[in-house]
């Protein structure tokens, strides 16, 4: 229902392009393939970064290129995972991946380089990734991002980036589906609690009813 409605706005000149986001790679491709209207762009989060290069291995990028759909690669810092500060508490990455990212940050600190800067530069160096969406919370981060874009990395920073890929981010690791599984587990646990509560309440009610009947006799 939503896509045809957006297409009507596009035909009326009230919108220029239609894009989709918020799903994993498989779901994004399925939407593109089944959509009754033309999809112009797709935003994919955290699937082309130091910790996870599977965007290149999934054939999704090939598909987008063959269909003329623009890819916007978002979150090259992996929502704070690839930073000196580390990820926020809500970050869905596994404890194992967080530990590797923390070790990588300590290595970068010892070498006098910034992990986030290396992570951003690596993404910007990928020729098939034409658009990268990165956020910043202050001018210091903005200036650092612009410096990477304009000046690239120093020889030491490039050497550190290569070491990061060899030592801490050798394999693709992502968290797609982890939040959904957690949500389903929580809902299942809540359902179980409700069933137990209803059962207990029913048992208490039956016991009271039996007691009242016995007393009435």
């Amino acid at each position: 229902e939503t896509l045809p409605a957006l297409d009507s706005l596009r035909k009326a000149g009230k919108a220029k392009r239609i894009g989709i986001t918020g799903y994993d790679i498989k779901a994004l491709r399925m939407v593109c393939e089944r959509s009754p209207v033309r999809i112009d762009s797709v935003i994919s989060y955290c699937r082309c970064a130091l910790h996870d290069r599977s965007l290149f291995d999934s054939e999704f990028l090939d598909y987008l290129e063959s269909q003329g759909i623009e890819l916007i690669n978002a979150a090259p810092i992996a929502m704070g995972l690839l930073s000196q500060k580390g990820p926020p508490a809500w970050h869905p990455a596994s404890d194992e991946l967080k530990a590797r990212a923390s070790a990588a940050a300590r290595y970068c600190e010892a070498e006098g380089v910034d992990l986030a800067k290396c992570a951003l530069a690596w993404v910007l160096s990928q020729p098939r990734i034409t658009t990268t969406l990165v956020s910043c919370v202050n001018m210091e981060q903005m200036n650092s991002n612009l410096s990477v874009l304009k000046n690239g990395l120093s020889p030491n920073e490039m050497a550190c980036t290569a070491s990061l890929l060899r030592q801490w981010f050798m394999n693709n690791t992502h968290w797609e589906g982890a939040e959904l599984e957690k949500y389903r587990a929580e809902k299942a646990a809540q359902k179980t609690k409700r069933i137990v509560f209803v059962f207990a309440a029913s048992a208490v009610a039956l016991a009271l009813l039996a007691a009242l009947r016995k007393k009435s006799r």
Side-chain angles (χ1 to χ4, degrees), residues 94-114:
S94 66
D95 291 339
E96 186 271 338
L97 179 56
K98 289 179 180 178
R100 281 194 280 126
S102 179
R106 292 194 297 271
Y107 163 75
C108 287
E109 184 177 13
E111 293 293 325
V113 303
D114 179 37

Side-chain angles (χ1 to χ4, degrees), residues 26-82:
K26 291 182 179 179
L28 287 171
R29 177 164 181 169
M30 182 182 69
V31 173
C32 290
E33 291 176 336
R34 297 183 182 182
S35 173
V37 306
R38 189 183 80 253
I39 301 296
D40 298 299
S41 62
V42 166
I43 300 180
S44 174
Y45 285 85
C46 306
R47 296 309 297 272
C48 179
L50 286 179
H51 73 290
D52 183 12
R53 285 86 63 194
S54 55
L55 190 63
F56 296 117
D57 305 329
S58 63
E59 299 183 355
F60 184 52
L61 188 55
D62 295 333
Y63 168 77
L64 294 179
E65 291 173 346
S66 70
Q67 300 299 311
I69 301 174
E70 180 184 4
L71 170 71
I72 300 175
N73 178 53
I77 315 301
M79 302 186 299
L81 178 71
L82 305 175

Side-chain angles (χ1 to χ4, degrees):
E1 297 177 356
T2 303
L3 290 171
L6 291 173
D7 193 43
S8 297
L9 293 175
R10 179 166 56 187
K11 291 176 179 177
K14 296 180 180 181
K16 290 185 177 181
R17 292 174 173 269
I18 296 175
I20 58 174
T21 186
Y23 300 101
D24 60 39
I25 288 178
K26 291 182 179 179
L28 287 171
R29 177 164 181 169
M30 182 182 69
V31 173
C32 290
E33 291 176 336
R34 297 183 182 182
S35 173
V37 306
R38 189 183 80 253
I39 301 296
D40 298 299
S41 62
V42 166
I43 300 180
S44 174
Y45 285 85
C46 306
R47 296 309 297 272
C48 179
L50 286 179
H51 73 290
D52 183 12
R53 285 86 63 194
S54 55
L55 190 63
F56 296 117
D57 305 329
S58 63
E59 299 183 355
F60 184 52
L61 188 55
D62 295 333
Y63 168 77
L64 294 179
E65 291 173 346
S66 70
Q67 300 299 311
I69 301 174
E70 180 184 4
L71 170 71
I72 300 175
N73 178 53
I77 315 301
M79 302 186 299
L81 178 71
L82 305 175
S83 68
Q84 298 301 134
K85 183 178 179 180
W90 53 260
H91 200 286
S94 66
D95 291 339
E96 186 271 338
L97 179 56
K98 289 179 180 178
R100 281 194 280 126
S102 179
R106 292 194 297 271
Y107 163 75
C108 287
E109 184 177 13
E111 293 293 325
V113 303
D114 179 37
L115 174 57
K117 189 176 180 181
C118 294
L120 177 59
W122 182 86
V123 172
L124 294 178
S125 70
Q126 305 305 309
R128 296 180 69 188
I129 305 299
T130 57
T131 305
T132 294
L133 180 61
V134 59
S135 63
C136 56
V137 298
N138 52 51
M139 286 304 300
E140 181 181 357
Q141 290 183 4
M142 174 67 79
N143 290 329
S144 177
N145 293 341
L146 291 174
S147 174
V148 173
L149 179 64
K150 294 178 179 179
N151 306 316
L153 297 179
S154 68
N156 183 45
E157 289 170 331
M158 288 189 286
C160 286
T161 302
S163 294
L164 292 171
L165 289 168
R166 286 195 307 269
Q167 299 183 47
W168 289 282
F169 305 119
M170 306 80 69
N171 303 314
N172 295 328
T173 310
H174 61 83
W175 48 85
E176 277 194 1
E179 292 173 295
L180 182 57
E181 291 179 6
K182 180 180 178 182
Y183 171 78
R184 287 174 174 170
E186 290 174 349
K187 296 297 288 186
Q190 291 173 4
K191 184 177 180 180
T192 301
K193 288 181 180 178
R194 286 196 298 269
I195 293 173
V196 171
F197 175 78
V198 171
F199 178 80
S202 299
V204 170
L206 289 172
L208 289 173
L209 181 60
L212 289 173
R213 286 177 176 176
K214 184 177 180 180
K215 184 177 181 180
S216 64
R217 291 175 184 174

